Amino acid sequence: MTPQKSHIVPHALKQIGCIIVLAIAYYGMAEISRHVASTPQDVTPVWPPDGIASGAVLLFGNWIGYGVLLGSFFANFWAFRDPTNFSSLAISTLPVFLIAIGTTLGTMLGAFLLRKTTNLRYPLDQIRDVFKFLILTGMVGPSINATVGVTCLALSGKVPWAAYGTVWLTWWISNVSGILIVTPMLLSWSQFIQKHRDSFWEWLASISTSETGQRQVASHRCRFWLILVDPVILMGLVILISKVAFGEGYHLEYMLIPMLIWSAFRLGQPGATLLTFIVAAIAVLATVNGKGGFADRDLNQSLMQLQLFIGVITLTILVLTATIAERTQAETKLRLAFAELASTNETLEFRVRQRTEELNVKNTALNQTLETLKQTQLQMLQSEKMSALGQMVAGVAHEINNPVSFIHGNLIYLSEYIQNLWKALQVYQQHYPHLPQALQAELAQLELDFLQEDIAKILHSMKSGTERISTIVLSLRNFSRLDEAELKAVDIHQGIDSTLVLLQHRLQATSNRPEIQLIKDYGDLPLIECDAGSLNQVFMSLLSNAVDALEESHQGDSFMDNSANLNVIRIQTLQMNTNRVMIIIADNGMGINQEILSKIFDPFFTTKPVGKGTGLGLFMSYQIVTQKHGGNLWCDSIPGQGTKFVIEIPVKASIGNW
């Protein structure tokens, strides 16, 4: 517990000290204003203590409002006390205390509204925040102060109710003027000190610890005096013009505005607000002493002109400095954006150079690879086509399988739900046989009996369709076999059947020919150790060529002629010996001429029109059977009678490199 107390007590003492200092400053400034800037009618045209109070609350927070309360109490106590006796003194203290409370509430309300609307930003850096400060802190807060103060004085009999409005306006304007003059100066100098505190101490340290000797010290001092040139010149001009305008009686007050504008550009917001304070102080002192262009026989007119002058120069300087600050911030952001853009351009140029070098290196390597590629182009074409076909088939099978399974599984539930709906409808009809005429007409138009009968047919067709798709998907997966090891013992008949499923659409009847008859004569074969995926490619190529041959052999014939000559593909398998099997695929097409028969296994040789064949199908099939499986593939053909392809592969094959 001891460490916490040692931490809390100093902070509390610090706050108490700040509260006392603010109370003394408020009271002292109030006394100075009464003695220096008070008119013969005891009117103070500017009330700087309110400016000090608003600045302190905005800078330190609401906790320092106790200082405002104490300062206002003592400042008004000495002004409105009645020392006749103790009772009168106590009675006169009550309105003074209420005035202090009104001053504190008005100050804290103005500060709260400003913080709320500016999101705790510094309120003098943006034009919109400047107007919020002028309206909320400079006008709304003093309204509470003036209302409470004048009401208390009127209730205590110190101010007649007939003069309530005039006194309230004078009180309010003096508080507004004090806030507009003093508070911006306090805020701007506090902001300036916070920003340049570290750099100031670094500058002092560089002078005291300089290792370069007297020259650097002299350089720092020279820079220091150069910084003071503008403030000294401006201060001299302001004092000179103020002396001429307010001391000699010449109407040259407007000459002060260029000086203040100059200070806004050269000295920034702290210097401009300080000179504004000096000009306002000189104008107030001259006016209350009956000098200057604002002095008039009518006191109210004199004060009104003076306060308008103070409001105009304060508003002008605050808006101008806020505009300069916004422009500076925009220029800073623009410079940062340009710097970032330049950095990005440099990085981009470096990356472009780096990529160019990489491309040059890769181009050299590509040229070398191209020479090698020309020598192995045929082998790459074979591998790529087979790999692409297998991946495509496997991908299609995988993507179709999930939604089809989902649809097929949900058809059962859908059928049950529909049956339940029909049952519910029948029960409803039993309980309500006499329906309204409009509902009967609507049900008659819907044809419920037909719907019940047709929905059952639709569900049956959908179920048959999904089963058919599932069969095709299974055939696709068996055909591709990408998820299996390259060398595996498989049922060769399963691969043939999967291929036939994929070619089923080509075996069906068309408008030019009847259906192709398929004859399967499977022998009793053992499991064949092979690359099932590539071997299925061979079956696909040979069966596709057989279908093409049958279609080509009947081109130009009538449908009746084609119906008389049946199209037949015969697939036969048999075991030659313990380690060798034979697969025969034959068709009764037009056959192949002997001069062509010797070239059918050459690469890129084809008799098909351009766009229908690449000349690689039979060549790749030959490579797969002979080089990859150590078997043999040949073709027998009799023109006009048909063609037969014979595959011989060992039962246990060793996968070769091809």
Short mmCIF file of all heavy atoms in Angstrom, two decimals, residues 3-52:
data_model
loop_
_atom_site.label_atom_id
_atom_site.label_comp_id
_atom_site.label_asym_id
_atom_site.label_seq_id
_atom_site.Cartn_x
_atom_site.Cartn_y
_atom_site.Cartn_z
N PRO A 3 3.72 2.07 -1.67
CA PRO A 3 4.08 2.64 -2.97
C PRO A 3 2.93 3.37 -3.63
O PRO A 3 3.12 4.37 -4.30
CB PRO A 3 4.51 1.40 -3.77
CG PRO A 3 4.91 0.40 -2.75
CD PRO A 3 4.03 0.64 -1.58
N GLN A 4 1.68 2.87 -3.45
CA GLN A 4 0.55 3.56 -4.08
C GLN A 4 0.36 4.95 -3.48
O GLN A 4 0.11 5.91 -4.18
CB GLN A 4 -0.72 2.72 -3.90
CG GLN A 4 -0.68 1.41 -4.70
CD GLN A 4 -1.97 0.62 -4.54
OE1 GLN A 4 -2.85 1.02 -3.78
NE2 GLN A 4 -2.06 -0.50 -5.23
N LYS A 5 0.49 5.08 -2.14
CA LYS A 5 0.32 6.38 -1.51
C LYS A 5 1.39 7.36 -1.96
O LYS A 5 1.13 8.52 -2.24
CB LYS A 5 0.37 6.22 0.01
CG LYS A 5 -0.87 5.52 0.57
CD LYS A 5 -0.78 5.44 2.09
CE LYS A 5 -2.03 4.75 2.67
NZ LYS A 5 -1.97 4.66 4.13
N SER A 6 2.62 6.86 -2.07
CA SER A 6 3.70 7.76 -2.49
C SER A 6 3.52 8.22 -3.92
O SER A 6 4.04 9.25 -4.31
CB SER A 6 5.05 7.03 -2.35
OG SER A 6 5.07 5.91 -3.22
N HIS A 7 2.74 7.44 -4.69
CA HIS A 7 2.48 7.86 -6.07
C HIS A 7 1.28 8.80 -6.15
O HIS A 7 1.27 9.74 -6.93
CB HIS A 7 2.23 6.62 -6.93
CG HIS A 7 1.81 6.94 -8.33
ND1 HIS A 7 2.68 7.46 -9.26
CD2 HIS A 7 0.60 6.85 -8.93
CE1 HIS A 7 2.03 7.67 -10.38
NE2 HIS A 7 0.76 7.29 -10.21
N ILE A 8 0.26 8.55 -5.31
CA ILE A 8 -0.97 9.34 -5.40
C ILE A 8 -0.81 10.72 -4.77
O ILE A 8 -1.25 11.73 -5.30
CB ILE A 8 -2.14 8.58 -4.73
CG1 ILE A 8 -2.44 7.31 -5.54
CG2 ILE A 8 -3.37 9.44 -4.61
CD1 ILE A 8 -3.47 6.42 -4.89
N VAL A 9 -0.16 10.78 -3.61
CA VAL A 9 -0.07 12.06 -2.88
C VAL A 9 0.62 13.15 -3.69
O VAL A 9 0.11 14.27 -3.80
CB VAL A 9 0.60 11.84 -1.51
CG1 VAL A 9 0.88 13.17 -0.83
CG2 VAL A 9 -0.27 10.96 -0.64
N PRO A 10 1.78 12.91 -4.31
CA PRO A 10 2.40 13.98 -5.11
C PRO A 10 1.50 14.46 -6.25
O PRO A 10 1.46 15.64 -6.56
CB PRO A 10 3.67 13.33 -5.65
CG PRO A 10 3.98 12.26 -4.66
CD PRO A 10 2.66 11.74 -4.22
N HIS A 11 0.77 13.52 -6.89
CA HIS A 11 -0.11 13.94 -7.98
C HIS A 11 -1.25 14.81 -7.45
O HIS A 11 -1.60 15.83 -8.06
CB HIS A 11 -0.68 12.69 -8.66
CG HIS A 11 -1.60 13.01 -9.81
ND1 HIS A 11 -1.15 13.58 -10.97
CD2 HIS A 11 -2.94 12.84 -9.96
CE1 HIS A 11 -2.16 13.76 -11.79
NE2 HIS A 11 -3.27 13.31 -11.20
N ALA A 12 -1.81 14.43 -6.32
CA ALA A 12 -2.87 15.25 -5.72
C ALA A 12 -2.35 16.62 -5.31
O ALA A 12 -3.01 17.64 -5.51
CB ALA A 12 -3.47 14.52 -4.52
N LEU A 13 -1.14 16.63 -4.74
CA LEU A 13 -0.55 17.92 -4.36
C LEU A 13 -0.28 18.79 -5.58
O LEU A 13 -0.46 20.01 -5.55
CB LEU A 13 0.75 17.68 -3.59
CG LEU A 13 0.60 17.09 -2.17
CD1 LEU A 13 1.97 16.84 -1.56
CD2 LEU A 13 -0.22 18.04 -1.28
N LYS A 14 0.11 18.13 -6.65
CA LYS A 14 0.36 18.88 -7.88
C LYS A 14 -0.93 19.51 -8.39
O LYS A 14 -0.95 20.67 -8.82
CB LYS A 14 0.94 17.94 -8.94
CG LYS A 14 1.28 18.61 -10.25
CD LYS A 14 1.88 17.61 -11.23
CE LYS A 14 2.19 18.28 -12.56
NZ LYS A 14 2.74 17.33 -13.53
N GLN A 15 -2.02 18.75 -8.34
CA GLN A 15 -3.30 19.30 -8.78
C GLN A 15 -3.75 20.45 -7.87
O GLN A 15 -4.24 21.48 -8.36
CB GLN A 15 -4.36 18.20 -8.78
CG GLN A 15 -4.21 17.19 -9.91
CD GLN A 15 -5.36 16.22 -9.97
OE1 GLN A 15 -6.04 15.99 -8.97
NE2 GLN A 15 -5.59 15.64 -11.13
N ILE A 16 -3.55 20.30 -6.58
CA ILE A 16 -3.93 21.37 -5.65
C ILE A 16 -3.11 22.62 -5.93
O ILE A 16 -3.63 23.75 -5.94
CB ILE A 16 -3.75 20.90 -4.20
CG1 ILE A 16 -4.77 19.79 -3.87
CG2 ILE A 16 -3.92 22.06 -3.23
CD1 ILE A 16 -4.56 19.15 -2.53
N GLY A 17 -1.83 22.43 -6.20
CA GLY A 17 -0.98 23.58 -6.52
C GLY A 17 -1.43 24.29 -7.78
O GLY A 17 -1.46 25.52 -7.84
N CYS A 18 -1.80 23.50 -8.81
CA CYS A 18 -2.27 24.11 -10.06
C CYS A 18 -3.58 24.86 -9.83
O CYS A 18 -3.79 25.94 -10.40
CB CYS A 18 -2.48 23.02 -11.12
SG CYS A 18 -0.95 22.25 -11.70
N ILE A 19 -4.46 24.31 -9.00
CA ILE A 19 -5.73 24.98 -8.70
C ILE A 19 -5.46 26.32 -8.00
O ILE A 19 -6.08 27.35 -8.33
CB ILE A 19 -6.61 24.07 -7.83
CG1 ILE A 19 -7.11 22.88 -8.67
CG2 ILE A 19 -7.80 24.84 -7.26
CD1 ILE A 19 -7.81 21.82 -7.86
N ILE A 20 -4.54 26.33 -7.05
CA ILE A 20 -4.23 27.57 -6.33
C ILE A 20 -3.61 28.60 -7.27
O ILE A 20 -3.95 29.80 -7.23
CB ILE A 20 -3.29 27.26 -5.15
CG1 ILE A 20 -4.03 26.40 -4.10
CG2 ILE A 20 -2.78 28.54 -4.51
CD1 ILE A 20 -3.14 25.91 -2.99
N VAL A 21 -2.69 28.14 -8.15
CA VAL A 21 -2.06 29.05 -9.10
C VAL A 21 -3.11 29.67 -10.02
O VAL A 21 -3.08 30.88 -10.30
CB VAL A 21 -0.97 28.31 -9.90
CG1 VAL A 21 -0.48 29.19 -11.06
CG2 VAL A 21 0.19 27.95 -9.00
N LEU A 22 -4.05 28.85 -10.51
CA LEU A 22 -5.10 29.38 -11.39
C LEU A 22 -5.98 30.38 -10.64
O LEU A 22 -6.35 31.42 -11.20
CB LEU A 22 -5.95 28.23 -11.95
CG LEU A 22 -7.15 28.65 -12.81
CD1 LEU A 22 -6.69 29.47 -14.02
CD2 LEU A 22 -7.95 27.43 -13.26
N ALA A 23 -6.32 30.07 -9.39
CA ALA A 23 -7.14 30.99 -8.61
C ALA A 23 -6.44 32.33 -8.43
O ALA A 23 -7.04 33.40 -8.56
CB ALA A 23 -7.48 30.37 -7.25
N ILE A 24 -5.13 32.28 -8.13
CA ILE A 24 -4.36 33.52 -7.96
C ILE A 24 -4.29 34.29 -9.28
O ILE A 24 -4.45 35.52 -9.31
CB ILE A 24 -2.96 33.20 -7.43
CG1 ILE A 24 -3.07 32.61 -6.01
CG2 ILE A 24 -2.08 34.42 -7.43
CD1 ILE A 24 -1.75 32.10 -5.47
N ALA A 25 -4.05 33.56 -10.38
CA ALA A 25 -3.97 34.22 -11.69
C ALA A 25 -5.30 34.86 -12.05
O ALA A 25 -5.35 35.98 -12.57
CB ALA A 25 -3.55 33.21 -12.75
N TYR A 26 -6.40 34.15 -11.81
CA TYR A 26 -7.72 34.69 -12.10
C TYR A 26 -7.97 35.95 -11.27
O TYR A 26 -8.39 36.99 -11.81
CB TYR A 26 -8.78 33.63 -11.80
CG TYR A 26 -10.17 33.98 -12.28
CD1 TYR A 26 -10.67 33.43 -13.44
CD2 TYR A 26 -10.98 34.87 -11.57
CE1 TYR A 26 -11.95 33.74 -13.90
CE2 TYR A 26 -12.25 35.20 -12.02
CZ TYR A 26 -12.73 34.63 -13.19
OH TYR A 26 -13.99 34.95 -13.63
N TYR A 27 -7.70 35.86 -9.97
CA TYR A 27 -7.95 37.00 -9.09
C TYR A 27 -7.03 38.17 -9.44
O TYR A 27 -7.47 39.33 -9.51
CB TYR A 27 -7.73 36.58 -7.63
CG TYR A 27 -7.82 37.73 -6.66
CD1 TYR A 27 -9.04 38.30 -6.33
CD2 TYR A 27 -6.65 38.27 -6.08
CE1 TYR A 27 -9.12 39.37 -5.45
CE2 TYR A 27 -6.72 39.33 -5.20
CZ TYR A 27 -7.95 39.88 -4.89
OH TYR A 27 -8.02 40.93 -4.02
N GLY A 28 -5.76 37.89 -9.70
CA GLY A 28 -4.82 38.96 -10.03
C GLY A 28 -5.19 39.65 -11.32
O GLY A 28 -5.15 40.90 -11.41
N MET A 29 -5.56 38.88 -12.36
CA MET A 29 -5.94 39.50 -13.63
C MET A 29 -7.23 40.31 -13.47
O MET A 29 -7.40 41.35 -14.11
CB MET A 29 -6.14 38.41 -14.70
CG MET A 29 -6.47 38.96 -16.08
SD MET A 29 -5.22 40.11 -16.72
CE MET A 29 -3.88 38.97 -17.05
N ALA A 30 -8.13 39.83 -12.61
CA ALA A 30 -9.36 40.59 -12.37
C ALA A 30 -9.06 41.95 -11.72
O ALA A 30 -9.62 42.98 -12.11
CB ALA A 30 -10.31 39.78 -11.48
N GLU A 31 -8.16 41.95 -10.74
CA GLU A 31 -7.80 43.20 -10.09
C GLU A 31 -7.09 44.14 -11.04
O GLU A 31 -7.34 45.35 -11.06
CB GLU A 31 -6.93 42.90 -8.86
CG GLU A 31 -7.67 42.21 -7.73
CD GLU A 31 -8.81 43.06 -7.21
OE1 GLU A 31 -8.64 44.29 -7.06
OE2 GLU A 31 -9.91 42.50 -6.97
N ILE A 32 -6.19 43.58 -11.86
CA ILE A 32 -5.49 44.42 -12.84
C ILE A 32 -6.49 45.02 -13.82
O ILE A 32 -6.41 46.21 -14.18
CB ILE A 32 -4.42 43.59 -13.58
CG1 ILE A 32 -3.31 43.19 -12.61
CG2 ILE A 32 -3.86 44.36 -14.76
CD1 ILE A 32 -2.30 42.23 -13.21
N SER A 33 -7.45 44.22 -14.28
CA SER A 33 -8.45 44.72 -15.23
C SER A 33 -9.27 45.85 -14.61
O SER A 33 -9.59 46.84 -15.28
CB SER A 33 -9.36 43.58 -15.67
OG SER A 33 -8.61 42.57 -16.31
N ARG A 34 -9.64 45.71 -13.34
CA ARG A 34 -10.45 46.74 -12.70
C ARG A 34 -9.67 48.04 -12.53
O ARG A 34 -10.21 49.13 -12.70
CB ARG A 34 -10.93 46.24 -11.33
CG ARG A 34 -12.02 45.18 -11.39
CD ARG A 34 -12.72 45.04 -10.04
NE ARG A 34 -13.68 43.94 -10.06
CZ ARG A 34 -13.43 42.72 -9.61
NH1 ARG A 34 -12.24 42.46 -9.10
NH2 ARG A 34 -14.35 41.79 -9.66
N HIS A 35 -8.39 47.93 -12.17
CA HIS A 35 -7.61 49.13 -11.90
C HIS A 35 -7.06 49.78 -13.17
O HIS A 35 -6.87 50.99 -13.23
CB HIS A 35 -6.45 48.81 -10.96
CG HIS A 35 -6.89 48.53 -9.55
ND1 HIS A 35 -7.30 47.29 -9.13
CD2 HIS A 35 -7.01 49.36 -8.48
CE1 HIS A 35 -7.64 47.33 -7.86
NE2 HIS A 35 -7.48 48.60 -7.42
N VAL A 36 -6.78 48.96 -14.20
CA VAL A 36 -6.12 49.50 -15.40
C VAL A 36 -7.12 49.74 -16.52
O VAL A 36 -7.06 50.78 -17.20
CB VAL A 36 -5.00 48.54 -15.86
CG1 VAL A 36 -4.38 49.05 -17.16
CG2 VAL A 36 -3.94 48.40 -14.78
N ALA A 37 -8.05 48.78 -16.73
CA ALA A 37 -8.92 48.86 -17.90
C ALA A 37 -10.37 49.11 -17.52
O ALA A 37 -11.28 48.73 -18.24
CB ALA A 37 -8.82 47.57 -18.71
N SER A 38 -10.61 49.77 -16.40
CA SER A 38 -11.99 50.04 -15.98
C SER A 38 -12.34 51.48 -16.32
O SER A 38 -11.54 52.40 -16.12
CB SER A 38 -12.15 49.78 -14.48
OG SER A 38 -13.46 50.05 -14.08
N THR A 39 -13.55 51.67 -16.82
CA THR A 39 -14.01 53.01 -17.19
C THR A 39 -14.46 53.75 -15.93
O THR A 39 -14.63 53.15 -14.86
CB THR A 39 -15.20 52.90 -18.18
OG1 THR A 39 -16.29 52.27 -17.51
CG2 THR A 39 -14.80 52.08 -19.39
N PRO A 40 -14.68 55.07 -16.04
CA PRO A 40 -15.19 55.83 -14.88
C PRO A 40 -16.52 55.30 -14.39
O PRO A 40 -16.90 55.52 -13.25
CB PRO A 40 -15.30 57.26 -15.41
CG PRO A 40 -14.28 57.33 -16.49
CD PRO A 40 -14.28 55.98 -17.14
N GLN A 41 -17.26 54.57 -15.23
CA GLN A 41 -18.55 54.02 -14.81
C GLN A 41 -18.41 52.59 -14.28
O GLN A 41 -19.39 51.85 -14.19
CB GLN A 41 -19.53 54.02 -16.00
CG GLN A 41 -19.99 55.40 -16.42
CD GLN A 41 -18.95 56.12 -17.29
OE1 GLN A 41 -17.92 55.53 -17.63
NE2 GLN A 41 -19.22 57.36 -17.66
N ASP A 42 -17.17 52.20 -13.92
CA ASP A 42 -16.88 50.87 -13.37
C ASP A 42 -17.25 49.75 -14.34
O ASP A 42 -17.71 48.68 -13.94
CB ASP A 42 -17.61 50.66 -12.03
CG ASP A 42 -17.06 51.57 -10.94
OD1 ASP A 42 -15.85 51.88 -11.01
OD2 ASP A 42 -17.83 51.95 -10.05
N VAL A 43 -17.07 50.00 -15.64
CA VAL A 43 -17.32 48.99 -16.67
C VAL A 43 -15.97 48.53 -17.22
O VAL A 43 -15.14 49.37 -17.60
CB VAL A 43 -18.20 49.55 -17.80
CG1 VAL A 43 -18.35 48.51 -18.91
CG2 VAL A 43 -19.55 49.96 -17.25
N THR A 44 -15.77 47.24 -17.25
CA THR A 44 -14.54 46.67 -17.82
C THR A 44 -14.89 46.10 -19.19
O THR A 44 -15.61 45.09 -19.29
CB THR A 44 -13.98 45.55 -16.93
OG1 THR A 44 -13.77 46.09 -15.62
CG2 THR A 44 -12.68 45.03 -17.47
N PRO A 45 -14.44 46.71 -20.28
CA PRO A 45 -14.85 46.26 -21.62
C PRO A 45 -14.35 44.87 -21.97
O PRO A 45 -14.95 44.19 -22.79
CB PRO A 45 -14.26 47.33 -22.54
CG PRO A 45 -13.13 47.91 -21.77
CD PRO A 45 -13.53 47.87 -20.34
N VAL A 46 -13.24 44.45 -21.39
CA VAL A 46 -12.69 43.12 -21.65
C VAL A 46 -12.41 42.47 -20.30
O VAL A 46 -11.84 43.10 -19.40
CB VAL A 46 -11.40 43.20 -22.50
CG1 VAL A 46 -10.81 41.81 -22.68
CG2 VAL A 46 -11.68 43.85 -23.85
N TRP A 47 -12.79 41.22 -20.15
CA TRP A 47 -12.60 40.50 -18.89
C TRP A 47 -11.63 39.33 -19.14
O TRP A 47 -12.04 38.20 -19.39
CB TRP A 47 -13.94 40.01 -18.37
CG TRP A 47 -13.90 39.46 -16.96
CD1 TRP A 47 -14.14 38.19 -16.60
CD2 TRP A 47 -13.61 40.18 -15.77
NE1 TRP A 47 -14.03 38.05 -15.25
CE2 TRP A 47 -13.71 39.27 -14.70
CE3 TRP A 47 -13.29 41.52 -15.50
CZ2 TRP A 47 -13.48 39.62 -13.38
CZ3 TRP A 47 -13.08 41.88 -14.18
CH2 TRP A 47 -13.16 40.94 -13.13
N PRO A 48 -10.31 39.57 -19.10
CA PRO A 48 -9.32 38.52 -19.38
C PRO A 48 -9.38 37.32 -18.45
O PRO A 48 -8.97 36.22 -18.87
CB PRO A 48 -7.99 39.27 -19.26
CG PRO A 48 -8.33 40.71 -19.42
CD PRO A 48 -9.68 40.87 -18.84
N PRO A 49 -9.83 37.44 -17.19
CA PRO A 49 -9.85 36.24 -16.34
C PRO A 49 -10.65 35.08 -16.94
O PRO A 49 -10.28 33.92 -16.76
CB PRO A 49 -10.49 36.75 -15.04
CG PRO A 49 -10.12 38.19 -14.98
CD PRO A 49 -10.14 38.66 -16.39
N ASP A 50 -11.74 35.38 -17.64
CA ASP A 50 -12.49 34.29 -18.28
C ASP A 50 -11.67 33.61 -19.37
O ASP A 50 -11.80 32.40 -19.60
CB ASP A 50 -13.79 34.84 -18.87
CG ASP A 50 -14.96 34.61 -17.93
OD1 ASP A 50 -14.70 34.32 -16.74
OD2 ASP A 50 -16.11 34.72 -18.37
N GLY A 51 -10.85 34.38 -20.08
CA GLY A 51 -9.96 33.77 -21.08
C GLY A 51 -8.95 32.85 -20.43
O GLY A 51 -8.65 31.77 -20.95
N ILE A 52 -8.41 33.28 -19.27
CA ILE A 52 -7.47 32.41 -18.55
C ILE A 52 -8.18 31.14 -18.09
O ILE A 52 -7.64 30.03 -18.20
CB ILE A 52 -6.87 33.17 -17.34
CG1 ILE A 52 -6.04 34.36 -17.84
CG2 ILE A 52 -6.03 32.25 -16.49
CD1 ILE A 52 -5.51 35.24 -16.73
#
